[in-house]
Every structure is written in structure tokens, then in C-alpha cells.
Amino acid sequence: MPDSPSEMSKTVRNVLVLGSTGSIGTATINVLRNLNQVDPEHHWRLWGASAHSKSDALISIQSEALTWNPHCANKTPCRLLFSDKDLGNAFLSSHPHIPKATVGIGPESLIEAAQNPEVDAVVAAIVGRAGLESTLAAIEAGKRVGLANKETMVVAGPVVQKMAKTTNAELLPVDSEHSAIFQCMQGGTNRPKKIILTASGGPFRTWNKKEMSEATLESALSHPTWEMGPKITIDSATMMNKALEVIEARWLFDLPAESIEVVVHPQSIIHSMVEFEDGSVLAQMSPPDMQLPIQYALTYPNRLPCDSPAFDRSQNWGLELEVADRERFPALNLGFEVAKVGGTAGAVLNAANEEAVGLFLDGQIRFTDIVEGCRDVLANHHFESNPPLSRLLELDRWARSELRRRLKAS
Ligand code: NAD
Ligand code: MG
């Protein structure tokens, strides 16, 4: 996190969006389009965009960006980065006239782009551990990083923070809860006494354990308040998303697990809260829409008009806060446990969860197997308290195969 506000000084701000075709990626493109209208002093330029599938969507992003990038020198189109090599090669063969210099192929092209001296800010919006290397590359190059990819902090929080300190990279949260906490923290000079993460409770907030054991994929994908990619939507249904966010908060704000709480707030209007020493609790509120935290990460310390929907204050608010039920949602216990012990635990939990969610999405395991499988893998790994990145990546591979072995999945 930045110690003190620094404003990107250049007039043209080159932004690289990693994972541009996803839910956060699409919202980021909207934010850049909006900024070019509301911030006449700067030119917010989409410098590059990556995708792992959907090459058509990537091309549309590029051509649409040219319509709101009018001040770009020579109207240079944004670079297209294909993290999947086959997709990139297929794209090049079907577009023989496209200048090769504007295309990058393979995961290494994302790393190079994240470190390109022309790039001012990187929005890390790839889903899962696949986003780790490119996010770390941006931090190593001392960029401003809008961090949506929470898995990077879960896997390697201490490594990330150490690197950011050395390079003066500015790590700004995009996750709505962490953005809320970051915003509220500016209301106090001391470290907060507690941070209170809010959780919508997901589609199974009122379901009992038996009902959850029979949950279908369709019901797990029906989130009541947020529209997101499939992996985080399933994480929200198990409340593993909140567990990952507890771990993310532990490293992002350098606070012990004991200073972090979770409350359920079904309306997703209060995005999180901070309690200070004097008992004052500050909350950040806005309708559930990711454009606001994304834009704030890009424009911080400034606030500009945002294209997010405004509050409808003509209706009763009916804001509710409920105690989180750790018995029905045991993922929360895993999150607090991992935030407490640190070390190798985050990498193992994250990998087991990614693998289990993939199996559930493929229809191979039951909904409740996800968290049970994660708990077993975590309990059976050889814990180390101060692992280097290479060890975390080794354990990531181990946890995936261990999860499959335990759940007897193919
Ligand atoms: P998504 O599935 O909608 O999009 C994921 C993006 O990552 C796509 O552009 C895809 O092409 C790319 N991608 C997928 N696999 C890849 C790989 N192996 N290598 C490189 N790129 C790959 O996901 P999302 O919902 O936008 O979430 C992205 C990240 O943001 C996640 O870490 C999620 O936890 C976090 N986040 C999302 C939201 C939200 O509202 N969607 C909110 C907070 C945090
Ligand atoms: Mg969140």
C-alpha cells in the first residue's frame, strides 16, 4: 500500500489490463473510457490488454479503444497479449497483416508488457494463481498495480510486500472490500483496531448443510448481488472468497488475523468497515459495482465522477448486518487459520481451492466436497513458516494433485 499519496504525473497514462476479457477486465475498459470523458487533463490510454481465450473479444476491445483514445500518438492500437500460445498463434495465422510488434504470445509476453517502461499502471485482473507472475513482474518494475487478483496475495503475500517495498511499487486494492478498508483507513492516523470485511453471504446464505450438500451448479452460480466470473462466484457460494479476502487483508494491510472480522451484509452496499481505537467505525458504501474501486485504484488520491450506478435513496435501505455462521460456512475457519499461520498455508489452500472449484464446475464433485477437500489437503501438508517463492510454487502443484487424489477425481 502506498505510504503517502502520489499522483501519476504524466499527462498520458498508459494502462495495461491483464485479464481484459473477464468481468473485472471489462469493467476496467469501461472505467478507462469514462476517464477519458471526465478527466480532460489526462489521456487514459489502454496500452495493452491480455486474454486467455476469446480472441474476438480482445480484437473488439482494441478497435473500440481507438474510438476513445483520440489523443494517442498516431492512434497506435493497444497491444494484444495472448497468454495462451495456441490461441495467439492461431490469431496470427488468421490475421497475417497485423503488425507483429503489436501482438504478444505466451505468458512471458504478459511479464514483458508489465515491465515495459511505457506502462504506468497495471490492472491485475487475471483469475487465480495464473495471475501471479505477471502481477509480481509489475511490482518488480515499480508500477502502480490495481490488484484484483487476490490469489497473488493469498499465495505469496509476504513476497509481494517485500518486493513492493524495495521497488516502491504502489499496490492499490481493487477488491471492493479492500478498497473500502483502504478508503476508510484514510479517516484515522493510527493503525485501525479492527477491520470488518462484509460478505454478501452468497446464494446459500440461508441454506442448511443438507441443502448445500445437494446444491446444483446452477444454484451455486446464481449470485444474489454481484455479476462475476465463474471461479469467484463459486468461491462466494462456499464463502471461500471471504476466506481468501481475510488472507488478502492480512498481508495487504499488515494486520494480524486477530484484527480481522467478517460480517454478513446481504445487500452488498457497505463494502467493509474500519474500527479505530476510540471506537469509531467508518464504513464505505456504494451500490455493488466494481467500476468505483477500479477507478479509485487508477486515480488515487483523486476522486473523479464514476460511471457506477448512484444510490437510489427513494427506497428504504433496509441494510442488514448478520453474524457470519462458521459452522455452515467452514471455509471461513480455514481463512482465519491460514491468515494466522502464514508461511506455506496460503499457497496450499489457494491451489486446493482452485482445483476443487474447477472439478465442481466440471460436474465431477459435490458442492460441499470443495471445502472438505481443501481442509484435508491443508491439514496434510508439510508446513514451513518462511518459504521462498519457488517452494510456494512447488506446493501449489502438490496441493492440486493431492486434492484430486483425495477426491478421487480424474
Ligand atoms: P473472469 O473469469 O471473468 O476473467 C478472468 C480473466 O483472466 C479473463 O480475461 C481470462 O481470459 C483470464 N485468464 C483466465 N485464465 C488465465 C490463464 N491461465 N492465464 C492468463 N489469463 C487467464 O474473472 P473475474 O471475475 O474478472 O476475476 C478476476 C480476478 O479478480 C479474480 O482474482 C477475482 O477473485 C478478482 N475479483 C473479481 C471481482 C468481480 O467482481 N468479478 C471482484 C473482486 C475481485
Ligand atoms: Mg471482494
Side-chain angles (χ1 to χ4, degrees):
M1 307 294 303
D3 288 334
S4 56
S6 89
E7 201 184 332
M8 282 187 283
S9 54
K10 286 165 64 185
T11 307
V12 176
R13 289 166 174 190
N14 287 319
V15 180
L16 168 65
V17 184
L18 298 172
S20 67
T21 52
S23 161
I24 293 289
T26 307
T28 306
I29 305 295
N30 292 341
V31 164
L32 293 175
R33 187 191 306 109
N34 174 60
L35 282 175
N36 277 303
Q37 287 176 3
V38 300
D39 186 16
E41 285 173 31
H42 301 107
H43 305 147
W44 290 88
R45 178 178 173 216
L46 179 65
W47 182 93
S50 90
H52 200 63
S53 56
K54 302 188 187 166
S55 50
D56 291 350
L58 198 53
I59 299 271
S60 306
I61 288 171
Q62 185 189 54
S63 51
E64 203 260 347
L66 277 175
T67 65
W68 44 262
N69 257 349
H71 305 287
C72 288
N74 308 324
K75 286 207 167 193
T76 314
C78 84
R79 291 189 198 194
L80 302 179
L81 307 169
F82 296 89
S83 37
D84 183 81
K85 281 193 173 132
D86 293 342
L87 187 77
N89 288 326
F91 171 81
L92 272 186
S93 15
S94 55
H95 295 78
H97 302 301
I98 201 146
K100 289 229 167 47
T102 62
V103 177
I105 295 181
E108 32 325 312
S109 70
L110 276 61
I111 291 173
E112 273 168 38
Q115 300 202 321
N116 190 301
E118 285 177 16
V119 169
D120 301 299
V122 176
V123 177
I126 290 175
V127 61
R129 174 252 168 274
L132 178 80
E133 281 86 355
S134 49
T135 308
L136 275 178
I139 294 167
E140 191 181 29
K143 307 289 184 193
R144 173 172 292 207
V145 179
L147 185 74
N149 179 256
K150 68 191 80 181
E151 293 89 348
T152 288
M153 287 314 272
V154 174
V155 173
V159 175
V160 170
Q161 287 298 28
K162 195 171 164 205
M163 192 183 274
K165 274 213 171 73
T166 317
T167 64
N168 285 327
E170 289 183 295
L171 205 49
L172 285 146
V174 163
D175 217 347
S176 54
E177 295 77 2
H178 304 72
S179 174
I181 291 163
F182 179 57
Q183 293 178 56
C184 293
M185 273 169 52
Q186 290 158 52
T189 48
N190 302 341
R191 279 163 78 78
K193 189 167 146 204
K194 292 265 179 197
I195 58 177
I196 304 143
L197 294 168
T198 53
S200 69
F204 304 145
R205 180 173 65 91
T206 58
W207 288 31
N208 64 34
K209 279 177 142 180
K210 175 155 190 316
E211 286 168 325
M212 278 195 258
S213 71
E214 289 156 12
T216 61
L217 177 58
E218 198 191 359
S219 57
L221 283 172
S222 309
H223 198 281
T225 49
W226 292 98
E227 272 184 40
M228 310 179 283
K231 191 260 178 184
I232 183 174
T233 305
I234 300 302
D235 285 348
S236 298
T238 55
M239 288 192 76
M240 185 62 86
N241 183 47
K242 214 47 54 182
L244 300 180
E245 291 184 355
V246 167
I247 306 164
E248 180 186 12
R250 191 259 171 271
W251 300 120
L252 208 48
F253 302 111
D254 191 21
L255 286 170
E258 294 72 23
S259 301
I260 305 172
E261 287 177 13
V262 171
V263 297
V264 172
H265 167 53
Q267 291 77 24
S268 301
I269 298 275
I270 301 172
H271 294 299
S272 278
M273 296 174 269
V274 169
E275 183 180 18
F276 290 99
E277 210 52 58
D278 59 1
S280 212
V281 176
L282 302 195
Q284 186 267 332
M285 296 192 266
S286 50
D289 186 284
M290 290 306 293
Q291 290 179 86
L292 194 153
I294 296 167
Q295 181 168 301
Y296 190 61
L298 289 171
T299 62
Y300 169 80
N302 296 324
R303 289 185 185 270
L304 292 165
C306 185
D307 205 20
S308 275
F311 266 131
D312 178 3
R313 286 188 282 266
S314 65
Q315 307 289 322
N316 287 340
W317 285 34
L319 299 184
E320 296 162 285
L321 293 168
E322 300 168 356
V323 174
D325 184 343
R326 295 207 201 176
E327 216 213 311
R328 279 188 306 122
F329 294 100
L332 289 171
N333 289 327
L334 298 183
F336 280 103
E337 231 172 80
V338 170
K340 200 167 178 179
V341 300
T344 46
V348 169
L349 176 64
N350 180 69
N353 179 57
E354 269 188 53
E355 203 63 21
V357 170
L359 291 170
F360 177 67
L361 287 169
D362 283 351
Q364 294 195 47
I365 60 172
R366 287 179 314 161
F367 178 74
T368 39
D369 291 339
I370 300 174
V371 176
E372 282 170 25
C374 289
R375 189 197 51 210
D376 288 352
V377 174
L378 192 60
N380 284 285
H381 96 279
H382 295 288
F383 177 77
E384 292 166 39
S385 56
N386 197 14
L389 185 61
S390 54
R391 180 70 183 135
L392 295 172
L393 298 182
E394 247 170 58
L395 279 168
D396 173 280
R397 289 188 289 275
W398 170 83
R400 287 170 198 271
S401 65
E402 185 65 9
L403 184 284
R404 280 180 176 266
R405 193 181 70 75
R406 285 178 180 272
L407 292 182
K408 299 190 173 41
S410 50

